[in-house]
Amino acid sequence: MSFDKDEMLDKTKNYVKAQLLDAEPGHDWLHVQRVHDTAMLLAEGENVDHFVIQLGAYLHDIGDAKFNNGNEKIGISKIASFLHSIAVPEMIIDSVIKIVEHISFRKHFEHSDYRSRELEILQDADRLDAIGAIGIARAFSFGAYKGNPFYDPQKKPDQNINKKTYIKGSAPTINHFYEKLLKLKSMMNTSRGRMMATDRHRFMVNYLRQFYREANIDHSIYENS
Ligand code: ADP
Ligand code: NI
């Protein structure tokens, strides 16, 4: 079957850009572009469908419940009807939808047997954007949006955080490093992703050390929690 992939990718890019015009900096077009570029890098030399990865990268946050008042179905049907409207073949739509349904960090709280290499690559790319220098910027940006304090030595990180508390996201931003960001390095699916995560992880650890020095707080409450 022949179809014009470049035209479909262009249409998808324009659709996503328009949807994200007022997006907050944590999930704007620049985030989508970074996830796309990192995913393409991770896909080099892998036996995967690059078209599925590209569509998945562009659309991965459009379907997210947090942009649809917590509803997990609305975003998914929005994506499906968009892909139908530009005549993407059914099998490809199915793969992209599966990716969008499973990519989020929140999903690891639930069990699912679905796997695809394309999903694993996109998940690594999205997670890499949550750590390192950009990840730190995104965390504080999210915290500011929620009105959370940078830190509160009275509030220990919740090491057994569940889906509900994670979504609520009302803890001090420093806690989020222990509740999610420092865990991502060991959750990578690809070896290249793991290498990139190791570098970004090291940067975050150094950042936290400097943070505690400047804030003059005892870091043991974080590191021993
Ligand atoms: P995902 O899409 O993988 O489920 P989220 O949308 O929950 O991830 O997170 C988007 C960005 O906001 C990430 O960089 C994440 O680390 C950050 N973030 C999420 N929850 C918090 C929080 N409670 N405090 C600070 N940053 C957060
Ligand atoms: Ni994302």
PDB file of all heavy atoms in Angstrom, residues 180-211:
ATOM      1  N   LYS A 180       9.819  10.344  41.675  1.00  0.00           N
ATOM      2  CA  LYS A 180       9.832   9.946  40.257  1.00  0.00           C
ATOM      3  C   LYS A 180      11.200  10.114  39.579  1.00  0.00           C
ATOM      4  O   LYS A 180      11.760   9.138  39.091  1.00  0.00           O
ATOM      5  CB  LYS A 180       8.784  10.750  39.486  1.00  0.00           C
ATOM      6  CG  LYS A 180       8.826  10.544  37.977  1.00  0.00           C
ATOM      7  CD  LYS A 180       7.799  11.391  37.238  1.00  0.00           C
ATOM      8  CE  LYS A 180       7.926  11.292  35.740  1.00  0.00           C
ATOM      9  NZ  LYS A 180       7.040  12.226  35.033  1.00  0.00           N
ATOM     10  N   LEU A 181      11.713  11.335  39.541  1.00  0.00           N
ATOM     11  CA  LEU A 181      12.819  11.636  38.624  1.00  0.00           C
ATOM     12  C   LEU A 181      14.065  10.765  38.815  1.00  0.00           C
ATOM     13  O   LEU A 181      14.651  10.298  37.845  1.00  0.00           O
ATOM     14  CB  LEU A 181      13.179  13.122  38.714  1.00  0.00           C
ATOM     15  CG  LEU A 181      11.991  14.083  38.503  1.00  0.00           C
ATOM     16  CD1 LEU A 181      12.451  15.533  38.475  1.00  0.00           C
ATOM     17  CD2 LEU A 181      11.247  13.754  37.200  1.00  0.00           C
ATOM     18  N   LEU A 182      14.449  10.504  40.082  1.00  0.00           N
ATOM     19  CA  LEU A 182      15.657   9.699  40.315  1.00  0.00           C
ATOM     20  C   LEU A 182      15.421   8.206  40.056  1.00  0.00           C
ATOM     21  O   LEU A 182      16.356   7.423  40.030  1.00  0.00           O
ATOM     22  CB  LEU A 182      16.189   9.933  41.738  1.00  0.00           C
ATOM     23  CG  LEU A 182      16.711  11.353  42.011  1.00  0.00           C
ATOM     24  CD1 LEU A 182      16.967  11.570  43.506  1.00  0.00           C
ATOM     25  CD2 LEU A 182      18.000  11.651  41.221  1.00  0.00           C
ATOM     26  N   LYS A 183      14.154   7.841  39.867  1.00  0.00           N
ATOM     27  CA  LYS A 183      13.854   6.429  39.594  1.00  0.00           C
ATOM     28  C   LYS A 183      13.925   6.107  38.101  1.00  0.00           C
ATOM     29  O   LYS A 183      13.996   4.950  37.708  1.00  0.00           O
ATOM     30  CB  LYS A 183      12.428   6.085  40.067  1.00  0.00           C
ATOM     31  CG  LYS A 183      12.262   6.139  41.575  1.00  0.00           C
ATOM     32  CD  LYS A 183      10.808   5.843  41.925  1.00  0.00           C
ATOM     33  CE  LYS A 183      10.600   5.857  43.428  1.00  0.00           C
ATOM     34  NZ  LYS A 183       9.170   5.854  43.765  1.00  0.00           N
ATOM     35  N   LEU A 184      13.861   7.138  37.269  1.00  0.00           N
ATOM     36  CA  LEU A 184      13.692   6.897  35.830  1.00  0.00           C
ATOM     37  C   LEU A 184      14.895   6.208  35.188  1.00  0.00           C
ATOM     38  O   LEU A 184      14.740   5.415  34.264  1.00  0.00           O
ATOM     39  CB  LEU A 184      13.369   8.210  35.108  1.00  0.00           C
ATOM     40  CG  LEU A 184      12.001   8.817  35.468  1.00  0.00           C
ATOM     41  CD1 LEU A 184      11.780  10.124  34.722  1.00  0.00           C
ATOM     42  CD2 LEU A 184      10.878   7.841  35.123  1.00  0.00           C
ATOM     43  N   LYS A 185      16.099   6.487  35.699  1.00  0.00           N
ATOM     44  CA  LYS A 185      17.310   5.887  35.118  1.00  0.00           C
ATOM     45  C   LYS A 185      17.197   4.359  35.069  1.00  0.00           C
ATOM     46  O   LYS A 185      17.564   3.737  34.086  1.00  0.00           O
ATOM     47  CB  LYS A 185      18.516   6.304  35.960  1.00  0.00           C
ATOM     48  CG  LYS A 185      19.828   5.669  35.536  1.00  0.00           C
ATOM     49  CD  LYS A 185      21.006   6.284  36.287  1.00  0.00           C
ATOM     50  CE  LYS A 185      21.005   5.975  37.766  1.00  0.00           C
ATOM     51  NZ  LYS A 185      21.757   4.788  38.151  1.00  0.00           N
ATOM     52  N   SER A 186      16.661   3.779  36.111  1.00  0.00           N
ATOM     53  CA  SER A 186      16.589   2.308  36.127  1.00  0.00           C
ATOM     54  C   SER A 186      15.305   1.779  35.481  1.00  0.00           C
ATOM     55  O   SER A 186      15.043   0.583  35.513  1.00  0.00           O
ATOM     56  CB  SER A 186      16.736   1.782  37.552  1.00  0.00           C
ATOM     57  OG  SER A 186      15.773   2.387  38.350  1.00  0.00           O
ATOM     58  N   MET A 187      14.528   2.675  34.897  1.00  0.00           N
ATOM     59  CA  MET A 187      13.306   2.227  34.206  1.00  0.00           C
ATOM     60  C   MET A 187      13.436   2.324  32.686  1.00  0.00           C
ATOM     61  O   MET A 187      12.467   2.125  31.969  1.00  0.00           O
ATOM     62  CB  MET A 187      12.112   3.076  34.670  1.00  0.00           C
ATOM     63  CG  MET A 187      11.729   2.826  36.125  1.00  0.00           C
ATOM     64  SD  MET A 187      10.493   4.016  36.720  1.00  0.00           S
ATOM     65  CE  MET A 187       9.036   3.426  35.883  1.00  0.00           C
ATOM     66  N   MET A 188      14.652   2.617  32.206  1.00  0.00           N
ATOM     67  CA  MET A 188      14.837   2.778  30.757  1.00  0.00           C
ATOM     68  C   MET A 188      14.711   1.434  30.028  1.00  0.00           C
ATOM     69  O   MET A 188      15.113   0.396  30.556  1.00  0.00           O
ATOM     70  CB  MET A 188      16.228   3.367  30.465  1.00  0.00           C
ATOM     71  CG  MET A 188      16.352   4.804  30.867  1.00  0.00           C
ATOM     72  SD  MET A 188      15.378   5.875  29.781  1.00  0.00           S
ATOM     73  CE  MET A 188      14.789   7.035  30.971  1.00  0.00           C
ATOM     74  N   ASN A 189      14.179   1.474  28.824  1.00  0.00           N
ATOM     75  CA  ASN A 189      13.979   0.254  28.031  1.00  0.00           C
ATOM     76  C   ASN A 189      15.128  -0.029  27.062  1.00  0.00           C
ATOM     77  O   ASN A 189      15.369  -1.173  26.701  1.00  0.00           O
ATOM     78  CB  ASN A 189      12.705   0.378  27.189  1.00  0.00           C
ATOM     79  CG  ASN A 189      11.470   0.661  28.030  1.00  0.00           C
ATOM     80  OD1 ASN A 189      11.175  -0.092  28.945  1.00  0.00           O
ATOM     81  ND2 ASN A 189      10.755   1.731  27.726  1.00  0.00           N
ATOM     82  N   THR A 190      15.804   1.025  26.592  1.00  0.00           N
ATOM     83  CA  THR A 190      16.833   0.837  25.566  1.00  0.00           C
ATOM     84  C   THR A 190      18.215   1.125  26.160  1.00  0.00           C
ATOM     85  O   THR A 190      18.328   1.918  27.104  1.00  0.00           O
ATOM     86  CB  THR A 190      16.622   1.808  24.387  1.00  0.00           C
ATOM     87  OG1 THR A 190      16.816   3.154  24.852  1.00  0.00           O
ATOM     88  CG2 THR A 190      15.211   1.685  23.821  1.00  0.00           C
ATOM     89  N   SER A 191      19.254   0.510  25.606  1.00  0.00           N
ATOM     90  CA  SER A 191      20.573   0.711  26.207  1.00  0.00           C
ATOM     91  C   SER A 191      21.072   2.134  25.942  1.00  0.00           C
ATOM     92  O   SER A 191      21.703   2.746  26.799  1.00  0.00           O
ATOM     93  CB  SER A 191      21.571  -0.335  25.724  1.00  0.00           C
ATOM     94  OG  SER A 191      21.616  -0.332  24.336  1.00  0.00           O
ATOM     95  N   ARG A 192      20.763   2.670  24.781  1.00  0.00           N
ATOM     96  CA  ARG A 192      21.169   4.053  24.508  1.00  0.00           C
ATOM     97  C   ARG A 192      20.442   5.027  25.436  1.00  0.00           C
ATOM     98  O   ARG A 192      21.016   5.998  25.932  1.00  0.00           O
ATOM     99  CB  ARG A 192      20.868   4.393  23.052  1.00  0.00           C
ATOM    100  CG  ARG A 192      21.551   5.637  22.612  1.00  0.00           C
ATOM    101  CD  ARG A 192      21.739   5.625  21.126  1.00  0.00           C
ATOM    102  NE  ARG A 192      22.542   6.749  20.704  1.00  0.00           N
ATOM    103  CZ  ARG A 192      22.818   6.989  19.440  1.00  0.00           C
ATOM    104  NH1 ARG A 192      22.380   6.176  18.509  1.00  0.00           N
ATOM    105  NH2 ARG A 192      23.541   8.028  19.103  1.00  0.00           N
ATOM    106  N   GLY A 193      19.163   4.751  25.679  1.00  0.00           N
ATOM    107  CA  GLY A 193      18.377   5.577  26.593  1.00  0.00           C
ATOM    108  C   GLY A 193      18.968   5.528  28.001  1.00  0.00           C
ATOM    109  O   GLY A 193      19.046   6.541  28.689  1.00  0.00           O
ATOM    110  N   ARG A 194      19.428   4.335  28.377  1.00  0.00           N
ATOM    111  CA  ARG A 194      20.015   4.169  29.717  1.00  0.00           C
ATOM    112  C   ARG A 194      21.293   4.992  29.843  1.00  0.00           C
ATOM    113  O   ARG A 194      21.547   5.622  30.873  1.00  0.00           O
ATOM    114  CB  ARG A 194      20.295   2.685  29.964  1.00  0.00           C
ATOM    115  CG  ARG A 194      20.264   2.282  31.418  1.00  0.00           C
ATOM    116  CD  ARG A 194      20.232   0.766  31.583  1.00  0.00           C
ATOM    117  NE  ARG A 194      19.078   0.162  30.937  1.00  0.00           N
ATOM    118  CZ  ARG A 194      19.139  -0.778  29.981  1.00  0.00           C
ATOM    119  NH1 ARG A 194      20.301  -1.243  29.563  1.00  0.00           N
ATOM    120  NH2 ARG A 194      18.032  -1.267  29.447  1.00  0.00           N
ATOM    121  N   MET A 195      22.079   5.015  28.779  1.00  0.00           N
ATOM    122  CA  MET A 195      23.325   5.796  28.803  1.00  0.00           C
ATOM    123  C   MET A 195      23.026   7.289  28.947  1.00  0.00           C
ATOM    124  O   MET A 195      23.646   7.997  29.737  1.00  0.00           O
ATOM    125  CB  MET A 195      24.107   5.576  27.506  1.00  0.00           C
ATOM    126  CG  MET A 195      25.155   4.493  27.631  1.00  0.00           C
ATOM    127  SD  MET A 195      25.771   3.986  26.008  1.00  0.00           S
ATOM    128  CE  MET A 195      26.315   5.548  25.318  1.00  0.00           C
ATOM    129  N   MET A 196      22.052   7.750  28.174  1.00  0.00           N
ATOM    130  CA  MET A 196      21.691   9.173  28.245  1.00  0.00           C
ATOM    131  C   MET A 196      21.102   9.498  29.614  1.00  0.00           C
ATOM    132  O   MET A 196      21.356  10.560  30.187  1.00  0.00           O
ATOM    133  CB  MET A 196      20.685   9.519  27.139  1.00  0.00           C
ATOM    134  CG  MET A 196      21.309   9.464  25.759  1.00  0.00           C
ATOM    135  SD  MET A 196      20.070   9.594  24.436  1.00  0.00           S
ATOM    136  CE  MET A 196      19.619  11.319  24.551  1.00  0.00           C
ATOM    137  N   ALA A 197      20.335   8.563  30.155  1.00  0.00           N
ATOM    138  CA  ALA A 197      19.700   8.786  31.463  1.00  0.00           C
ATOM    139  C   ALA A 197      20.759   8.848  32.562  1.00  0.00           C
ATOM    140  O   ALA A 197      20.641   9.642  33.502  1.00  0.00           O
ATOM    141  CB  ALA A 197      18.691   7.679  31.758  1.00  0.00           C
ATOM    142  N   THR A 198      21.802   8.029  32.440  1.00  0.00           N
ATOM    143  CA  THR A 198      22.858   8.009  33.452  1.00  0.00           C
ATOM    144  C   THR A 198      23.517   9.375  33.551  1.00  0.00           C
ATOM    145  O   THR A 198      23.754   9.903  34.637  1.00  0.00           O
ATOM    146  CB  THR A 198      23.911   6.932  33.084  1.00  0.00           C
ATOM    147  OG1 THR A 198      23.232   5.680  32.991  1.00  0.00           O
ATOM    148  CG2 THR A 198      25.014   6.844  34.115  1.00  0.00           C
ATOM    149  N   ASP A 199      23.772   9.982  32.407  1.00  0.00           N
ATOM    150  CA  ASP A 199      24.390  11.298  32.363  1.00  0.00           C
ATOM    151  C   ASP A 199      23.469  12.352  33.001  1.00  0.00           C
ATOM    152  O   ASP A 199      23.881  13.154  33.833  1.00  0.00           O
ATOM    153  CB  ASP A 199      24.652  11.620  30.880  1.00  0.00           C
ATOM    154  CG  ASP A 199      25.331  12.939  30.711  1.00  0.00           C
ATOM    155  OD1 ASP A 199      26.381  13.127  31.352  1.00  0.00           O
ATOM    156  OD2 ASP A 199      24.813  13.789  29.948  1.00  0.00           O
ATOM    157  N   ARG A 200      22.214  12.325  32.615  1.00  0.00           N
ATOM    158  CA  ARG A 200      21.256  13.313  33.141  1.00  0.00           C
ATOM    159  C   ARG A 200      20.995  13.091  34.632  1.00  0.00           C
ATOM    160  O   ARG A 200      20.778  14.035  35.386  1.00  0.00           O
ATOM    161  CB  ARG A 200      19.942  13.241  32.351  1.00  0.00           C
ATOM    162  CG  ARG A 200      20.152  13.648  30.913  1.00  0.00           C
ATOM    163  CD  ARG A 200      18.890  13.614  30.089  1.00  0.00           C
ATOM    164  NE  ARG A 200      19.231  13.777  28.670  1.00  0.00           N
ATOM    165  CZ  ARG A 200      18.400  14.181  27.732  1.00  0.00           C
ATOM    166  NH1 ARG A 200      17.152  14.471  28.032  1.00  0.00           N
ATOM    167  NH2 ARG A 200      18.796  14.302  26.489  1.00  0.00           N
ATOM    168  N   HIS A 201      21.031  11.833  35.063  1.00  0.00           N
ATOM    169  CA  HIS A 201      20.829  11.479  36.468  1.00  0.00           C
ATOM    170  C   HIS A 201      21.949  12.092  37.319  1.00  0.00           C
ATOM    171  O   HIS A 201      21.703  12.708  38.351  1.00  0.00           O
ATOM    172  CB  HIS A 201      20.837   9.953  36.599  1.00  0.00           C
ATOM    173  CG  HIS A 201      20.565   9.452  37.977  1.00  0.00           C
ATOM    174  ND1 HIS A 201      19.308   9.094  38.396  1.00  0.00           N
ATOM    175  CD2 HIS A 201      21.370   9.252  39.048  1.00  0.00           C
ATOM    176  CE1 HIS A 201      19.361   8.702  39.651  1.00  0.00           C
ATOM    177  NE2 HIS A 201      20.589   8.785  40.072  1.00  0.00           N
ATOM    178  N   ARG A 202      23.182  11.914  36.832  1.00  0.00           N
ATOM    179  CA  ARG A 202      24.345  12.435  37.558  1.00  0.00           C
ATOM    180  C   ARG A 202      24.204  13.943  37.739  1.00  0.00           C
ATOM    181  O   ARG A 202      24.466  14.491  38.800  1.00  0.00           O
ATOM    182  CB  ARG A 202      25.608  12.094  36.762  1.00  0.00           C
ATOM    183  CG  ARG A 202      26.858  12.130  37.598  1.00  0.00           C
ATOM    184  CD  ARG A 202      28.089  11.692  36.814  1.00  0.00           C
ATOM    185  NE  ARG A 202      28.000  10.357  36.252  1.00  0.00           N
ATOM    186  CZ  ARG A 202      28.226  10.066  34.953  1.00  0.00           C
ATOM    187  NH1 ARG A 202      28.525  11.019  34.101  1.00  0.00           N
ATOM    188  NH2 ARG A 202      28.148   8.819  34.524  1.00  0.00           N
ATOM    189  N   PHE A 203      23.767  14.615  36.700  1.00  0.00           N
ATOM    190  CA  PHE A 203      23.586  16.066  36.756  1.00  0.00           C
ATOM    191  C   PHE A 203      22.558  16.433  37.840  1.00  0.00           C
ATOM    192  O   PHE A 203      22.755  17.366  38.611  1.00  0.00           O
ATOM    193  CB  PHE A 203      23.131  16.585  35.383  1.00  0.00           C
ATOM    194  CG  PHE A 203      22.966  18.071  35.330  1.00  0.00           C
ATOM    195  CD1 PHE A 203      24.051  18.900  35.110  1.00  0.00           C
ATOM    196  CD2 PHE A 203      21.713  18.647  35.514  1.00  0.00           C
ATOM    197  CE1 PHE A 203      23.901  20.279  35.078  1.00  0.00           C
ATOM    198  CE2 PHE A 203      21.550  20.023  35.479  1.00  0.00           C
ATOM    199  CZ  PHE A 203      22.647  20.846  35.259  1.00  0.00           C
ATOM    200  N   MET A 204      21.474  15.662  37.930  1.00  0.00           N
ATOM    201  CA  MET A 204      20.443  15.963  38.940  1.00  0.00           C
ATOM    202  C   MET A 204      20.973  15.746  40.353  1.00  0.00           C
ATOM    203  O   MET A 204      20.656  16.511  41.264  1.00  0.00           O
ATOM    204  CB  MET A 204      19.204  15.084  38.734  1.00  0.00           C
ATOM    205  CG  MET A 204      18.381  15.490  37.533  1.00  0.00           C
ATOM    206  SD  MET A 204      16.725  14.761  37.548  1.00  0.00           S
ATOM    207  CE  MET A 204      17.110  13.028  37.442  1.00  0.00           C
ATOM    208  N   VAL A 205      21.775  14.688  40.532  1.00  0.00           N
ATOM    209  CA  VAL A 205      22.322  14.406  41.866  1.00  0.00           C
ATOM    210  C   VAL A 205      23.217  15.565  42.305  1.00  0.00           C
ATOM    211  O   VAL A 205      23.135  16.043  43.448  1.00  0.00           O
ATOM    212  CB  VAL A 205      23.083  13.052  41.866  1.00  0.00           C
ATOM    213  CG1 VAL A 205      23.861  12.856  43.153  1.00  0.00           C
ATOM    214  CG2 VAL A 205      22.104  11.899  41.634  1.00  0.00           C
ATOM    215  N   ASN A 206      24.056  16.057  41.377  1.00  0.00           N
ATOM    216  CA  ASN A 206      24.917  17.199  41.706  1.00  0.00           C
ATOM    217  C   ASN A 206      24.096  18.447  41.992  1.00  0.00           C
ATOM    218  O   ASN A 206      24.394  19.214  42.899  1.00  0.00           O
ATOM    219  CB  ASN A 206      25.885  17.490  40.549  1.00  0.00           C
ATOM    220  CG  ASN A 206      26.939  16.430  40.451  1.00  0.00           C
ATOM    221  OD1 ASN A 206      27.284  15.792  41.446  1.00  0.00           O
ATOM    222  ND2 ASN A 206      27.454  16.212  39.252  1.00  0.00           N
ATOM    223  N   TYR A 207      23.058  18.637  41.203  1.00  0.00           N
ATOM    224  CA  TYR A 207      22.171  19.777  41.392  1.00  0.00           C
ATOM    225  C   TYR A 207      21.558  19.740  42.793  1.00  0.00           C
ATOM    226  O   TYR A 207      21.520  20.754  43.503  1.00  0.00           O
ATOM    227  CB  TYR A 207      21.069  19.751  40.325  1.00  0.00           C
ATOM    228  CG  TYR A 207      20.010  20.794  40.559  1.00  0.00           C
ATOM    229  CD1 TYR A 207      20.194  22.106  40.144  1.00  0.00           C
ATOM    230  CD2 TYR A 207      18.826  20.473  41.236  1.00  0.00           C
ATOM    231  CE1 TYR A 207      19.231  23.067  40.393  1.00  0.00           C
ATOM    232  CE2 TYR A 207      17.868  21.427  41.490  1.00  0.00           C
ATOM    233  CZ  TYR A 207      18.072  22.722  41.063  1.00  0.00           C
ATOM    234  OH  TYR A 207      17.122  23.672  41.332  1.00  0.00           O
ATOM    235  N   LEU A 208      21.107  18.574  43.223  1.00  0.00           N
ATOM    236  CA  LEU A 208      20.461  18.455  44.539  1.00  0.00           C
ATOM    237  C   LEU A 208      21.461  18.756  45.665  1.00  0.00           C
ATOM    238  O   LEU A 208      21.131  19.447  46.621  1.00  0.00           O
ATOM    239  CB  LEU A 208      19.849  17.060  44.716  1.00  0.00           C
ATOM    240  CG  LEU A 208      18.603  16.797  43.849  1.00  0.00           C
ATOM    241  CD1 LEU A 208      18.212  15.319  43.899  1.00  0.00           C
ATOM    242  CD2 LEU A 208      17.425  17.671  44.297  1.00  0.00           C
ATOM    243  N   ARG A 209      22.690  18.273  45.505  1.00  0.00           N
ATOM    244  CA  ARG A 209      23.714  18.552  46.525  1.00  0.00           C
ATOM    245  C   ARG A 209      23.902  20.046  46.698  1.00  0.00           C
ATOM    246  O   ARG A 209      23.920  20.573  47.809  1.00  0.00           O
ATOM    247  CB  ARG A 209      25.060  17.947  46.086  1.00  0.00           C
ATOM    248  CG  ARG A 209      25.176  16.525  46.492  1.00  0.00           C
ATOM    249  CD  ARG A 209      26.639  16.071  46.462  1.00  0.00           C
ATOM    250  NE  ARG A 209      26.591  14.642  46.230  1.00  0.00           N
ATOM    251  CZ  ARG A 209      27.175  14.012  45.230  1.00  0.00           C
ATOM    252  NH1 ARG A 209      27.929  14.668  44.377  1.00  0.00           N
ATOM    253  NH2 ARG A 209      27.035  12.720  45.098  1.00  0.00           N
ATOM    254  N   GLN A 210      24.054  20.731  45.563  1.00  0.00           N
ATOM    255  CA  GLN A 210      24.252  22.184  45.597  1.00  0.00           C
ATOM    256  C   GLN A 210      23.019  22.874  46.191  1.00  0.00           C
ATOM    257  O   GLN A 210      23.138  23.811  46.975  1.00  0.00           O
ATOM    258  CB  GLN A 210      24.493  22.670  44.155  1.00  0.00           C
ATOM    259  CG  GLN A 210      24.533  24.162  43.982  1.00  0.00           C
ATOM    260  CD  GLN A 210      25.930  24.729  44.172  1.00  0.00           C
ATOM    261  OE1 GLN A 210      26.899  23.972  44.272  1.00  0.00           O
ATOM    262  NE2 GLN A 210      26.032  26.040  44.239  1.00  0.00           N
ATOM    263  N   PHE A 211      21.844  22.393  45.847  1.00  0.00           N
ATOM    264  CA  PHE A 211      20.580  22.948  46.342  1.00  0.00           C
ATOM    265  C   PHE A 211      20.555  22.900  47.877  1.00  0.00           C
ATOM    266  O   PHE A 211      20.241  23.883  48.536  1.00  0.00           O
ATOM    267  CB  PHE A 211      19.419  22.139  45.752  1.00  0.00           C
ATOM    268  CG  PHE A 211      18.051  22.741  45.986  1.00  0.00           C
ATOM    269  CD1 PHE A 211      17.408  23.433  44.976  1.00  0.00           C
ATOM    270  CD2 PHE A 211      17.403  22.600  47.216  1.00  0.00           C
ATOM    271  CE1 PHE A 211      16.143  23.988  45.187  1.00  0.00           C
ATOM    272  CE2 PHE A 211      16.149  23.145  47.436  1.00  0.00           C
ATOM    273  CZ  PHE A 211      15.508  23.845  46.419  1.00  0.00           C
TER     274      PHE A 211
END
